[in-house]
Amino acid sequence: MAVLLIAEHDNKSLKDATAKAMSAATALGGPVDVLVAGHNAKGVADAAAKLAGASKVLLADDAQYANQLAENMAALVVELAGKYDAVLSPASTSGKNFMPRVAAALDVPQISEIVSVDGPDTFTRPIYAGNAMQQVQVAGGKKVITVRTTTFKAVGTTGSAAVESIGAAKGPGTSEFVRDELSKSERPELAAARVVVSGGRGMQSGDNFHLLEKVADRLKAAVGASRAAVDAGFVPNDYQVGQTGKVVAPELYIAVGISGAIQHLAGMKDSKVIVAINKDEEAPIFQVADYGLVADLFKAVPELEEELKKQGY
Amino acid sequence: MKVLVPIKRVVDYNVKIRVKADQTGVDLANVKMSMNPFDEIGVEEAIRLKEKGVATEIIAVSVGPQEAQETIRTALAMGADRGILVKVAHEVEPLTVAKILAGIAKAEGPQLIILGKQAIDDDSNQTGQMLAQLLGWAQGTFASKVTIEGGKAEVTREVDGGLQTVRLNLPAIVTTDLRLNEPRYASLPNIMKAKKKPIDEKSPSDYGVDPAPRLKVLKVSEPPKRKGGVKVKTVQELVEKLKNEAGVI
Ligand SMILES: Cc1cc2nc3c(=O)[nH]c(=O)nc-3n(C[C@H](O)[C@H](O)[C@H](O)COP(=O)(O)OP(=O)(O)OC[C@H]3O[C@@H](n4cnc5c(N)ncnc54)[C@H](O)[C@@H]3O)c2cc1C
Ligand SMILES: Nc1ncnc2c1ncn2[C@@H]1O[C@H](COP(=O)(O)O)[C@@H](O)[C@H]1O
């Protein structure tokens, strides 16, 4: 089965999500070509060529792919799709944006956010905020799949695929990029961090997130949040963890002042170890926490930072 | 300009669903159903565009069972002008919904279609993008701000790295994210008024669409359960356990 995997990147670096989606792609059993569509993205293509399992990297380097507009990305992928039996991409906001267009153009259903490849045409995906797992079989036609990357291991970088430059497809020209307002952070990316410290409505203000950042700095952690904290303007939208935000599965997830609504749990319950700090001992978050601390966060979080410091973190 | 708002009837977001013992699906008997929360945000956005004098008519569309009429009534009570119910008794896949909506769009000629980014039951996050492709329109997905000006829509989108703003030729597709607005509650007088607003009933065949599913659901199962762990008494105990017992720091 010939597979096309679409790389996740920001024109500068290849994202870890691509290496994870590569695991899903190779599980389909066939040569996997990687498409890097971007602008001045030769470095990304070179990194993709090292992914174990890549048989070829296609580089479409053109100004129209600088911001991965869905209309242009879909036109390109659809043009390439003829040669492939399956098209995969990480279920990032970028993949979610253009992949359904590809599926519609090919007149096939899309299988969203698979968490396992159970057979060449059989996949499992979460529904209802992960409260049920649906196993589906594709009848025929090309497969269009997005991959929940937290459940797949990143492949190694032992590959040495050739990079082939390809031309741009004719974009429909119906949309244009205006601007980006990207969150700047020295911390690891939320989706890839080994430790995540998240705050909820209990944090009371954006300023108070500094308490969490201090802990995060000691543990080289990313900082996340609940929807309530984002809605209240404490932190930017890209901090949101959950059913309709980011899905994370770090080694350690520390939930502070978060009640544990199902929509939040959907985004973090696959973490290896969960810690909850909440003053309400009845909070549902304790039902999934490996270690629960019933305490006022304004006392416990500074203490935690102090203790970590004492222990040399 | 006309605005179309597709709305889905789903299990209420507060309900803890149960998987059927025979693994054929989720138990929907006697479960509270509501409008998909992202679609409420879509209806609200359309109403605000009408209040600003940008939109002239708001059409709420639902593809689903007869009961989806109640969901359309809710949209009408919020402020939509009329409804279209496309009756299908079984679950419909996003591509099917998109094809039906494309048929409605061709018949009605809206300049803007506002969908939710995701239905909270199937968690597909596909329909709006598929519809945009079928119609050959531009899309602004995961919108937290929408401005219509000079025949274009400027849409600010919530993306993994922060925010991205795009400008779209009209007609266009917008899908809503949580921060776009806070939907209003329907007032009692408006609920009464909504009872007189028209709802057309259609079937997929009116748009030449075969609603049969294309994916075969082999089974629906419970996710692995996480069991609660222990309570620790102090921060010191917590750090000790993370270090020596769990080994994660
Ligand atoms: C369509 C839809 C999509 C959604 N998507 C998401 C999503 O992706 N992610 C998400 O997170 N939510 C999502 N939600 C929202 C979700 O339902 C909850 O409303 C939200 O997660 C609650 O956030 P919270 O736990 O921070 O706030 P709350 O539920 O208000 O909990 C605050 C907690 O802080 C504790 N607390 C307060 N003060 C202190 C203190 N001083 N010390 C210690 N503890 C304290 C309280 O005991 C309480 O448990 C979604 C909802 C809908 C309808
Ligand atoms: N059966 C339906 N009837 C009307 N609108 C729908 C239906 N299914 C999906 N939609 C719209 O498409 C959006 C995304 O749904 P989905 O692609 O299923 O996650 C929803 O928020 C609705 O706006």
Side-chain angles (χ1 to χ4, degrees), chain A residues 249-261:
Chain A
E251 294 279 296
L252 174 61
Y253 188 90
I254 306 179
V256 181
I258 292 178
S259 61

Side-chain angles (χ1 to χ4, degrees), chain B residues 8-10 34-41 116 118-121:
Chain B
K8 187 176 186 186
R9 179 174 182 270
V10 298
S34 300
M35 191 189 307
N36 183 40
F38 288 101
D39 305 349
E40 290 183 348
I41 297 172
Q118 170 175 345
I120 61 163
D121 51 0

Side-chain angles (χ1 to χ4, degrees), chain A residues 199-204 225-229 231 240-246 256-267 277-281 283-285 293-299, chain B residues 13-14 36-38 41 118 120 178-179:
Chain A
R201 198 196 310 269
M203 295 305 297
Q204 289 181 12
S226 70
R227 173 193 173 177
D231 281 5
Q240 183 179 313
V241 170
Q243 178 188 17
T244 63
K246 287 195 175 118
V256 181
I258 292 178
S259 61
I262 51 173
Q263 292 85 3
H264 187 79
L265 300 185
I277 301 177
N278 197 304
K279 68 177 179 190
D280 172 11
E281 65 175 319
I285 189 79
L293 178 63
V294 180
D296 187 322
L297 72 92
F298 293 104
K299 188 168 162 285
Chain B
Y13 81 96
N14 266 317
N36 183 40
F38 288 101
I41 297 172
Q118 170 175 345
I120 61 163
L178 296 168
R179 262 66 63 178

